[in-house]
Amino acid sequence: MGELRDERVDLEIISTDLVYEGAVWNVRSDTVRYGDGQMTRQYVEHPGAAAVVAIDDDGRVVLIQQYRHPIKERDWEIPAGLLDVAGEPPIETAKRELTEEVDLEADRWQHLISMHTTPGGNDEVVHVFLARGLRSVETDYEREHEESDMRVERVPLAEVVDGVLAGRLRNGILATGALAAAEVLRREAAAS
């Protein structure tokens, strides 16, 4: 079988229509040639995002809690933001979001994973980074809307993993990032 990996497939696009143009993402309908026939699929066209598992010197993850209207909840998340600055590499977006959302910078950065959030419904890719060597910084970033009453907490990584596995923390980016960070730290500890 060789190395286990996702495969890129370039199908002939027979037609594509912009169904809805939104402020952040669009809805597109594509008809593609597939095998001996064709199929039509609608999906959300998304710019992508970057997220940060920021871990302090005490092994605590910086979490934010904010209202998310589609799920009608204040869920716990890791700092993240859209890839909405033209030409900005995902790592720079992650650094910017860490500063804007929680007034922190980090000395050490490491790419953890890049993931498709919902491959059956959108084309979003989220790049998740591990940040260590945290320090507070002064910012003049003005938080508005859901960010205006955002709660920030530092929680031991093991508690975050327990919350994910128990189903109390259901944000997919938080879950994937925390589990990936825990595995990276486990491997580092085993190697030393």
Side-chain angles (χ1 to χ4, degrees):
M1 177 175 151
E3 182 181 50
L4 182 64
R5 64 180 311 123
D6 296 337
E7 289 180 30
R8 175 87 181 156
V9 178
D10 292 312
L11 300 177
E12 177 189 352
I13 299 175
I14 299 166
S15 68
T16 183
D17 296 304
L18 182 61
V19 177
Y20 170 80
E21 185 172 3
V24 176
W25 48 73
N26 303 325
V27 176
R28 185 162 291 285
S29 181
D30 288 352
T31 300
V32 298
R33 193 160 318 285
Y34 196 83
D36 293 336
Q38 62 185 35
M39 63 182 183
T40 301
R41 296 290 182 264
Q42 292 80 35
Y43 62 96
V44 173
E45 197 173 49
H46 194 286
V52 185
V53 179
I55 298 181
D56 67 17
D57 293 339
D58 296 321
R60 298 175 304 170
V61 180
V62 177
L63 298 182
I64 59 174
Q65 185 186 49
Q66 62 182 328
Y67 176 71
R68 292 299 189 184
H69 186 72
I71 60 172
K72 314 293 188 287
E73 291 181 6
R74 291 184 187 278
D75 74 337
W76 286 101
E77 304 177 2
I78 55 178
L82 297 172
L83 300 177
D84 57 0
V85 175
E88 183 177 66
I91 182 103
E92 295 304 318
T93 303
K95 290 177 181 180
R96 179 171 47 84
E97 290 296 331
L98 185 65
T99 300
E100 288 178 359
E101 291 193 349
V102 294
D103 302 321
L104 292 173
E105 289 182 350
D107 293 326
R108 298 185 317 277
W109 288 86
Q110 177 180 354
H111 178 262
L112 283 174
I113 54 170
S114 292
M115 60 182 244
H116 294 283
T117 56
T118 313
N122 70 51
D123 64 357
E124 179 183 27
V125 175
V126 177
H127 306 277
V128 183
F129 298 89
L130 176 60
R132 294 183 266 189
L134 305 180
R135 65 183 175 285
S136 296
V137 293
E138 294 279 331
T139 66
D140 59 359
Y141 182 75
E142 189 172 324
R143 295 177 185 100
E144 55 186 16
H145 306 297
E146 295 94 338
E147 292 180 346
S148 65
D149 63 350
M150 191 167 56
R151 184 174 160 193
V152 179
E153 296 287 340
R154 293 188 185 203
V155 180
L157 179 58
E159 285 185 32
V160 176
V161 170
D162 287 346
V164 168
L165 296 176
R168 296 187 313 271
L169 302 174
R170 298 184 297 170
N171 180 285
I173 298 168
L174 165 67
T176 305
L179 294 171
E183 178 61 12
V184 164
L185 295 176
R186 185 196 67 76
R187 290 179 182 193
E188 286 178 1
S192 60

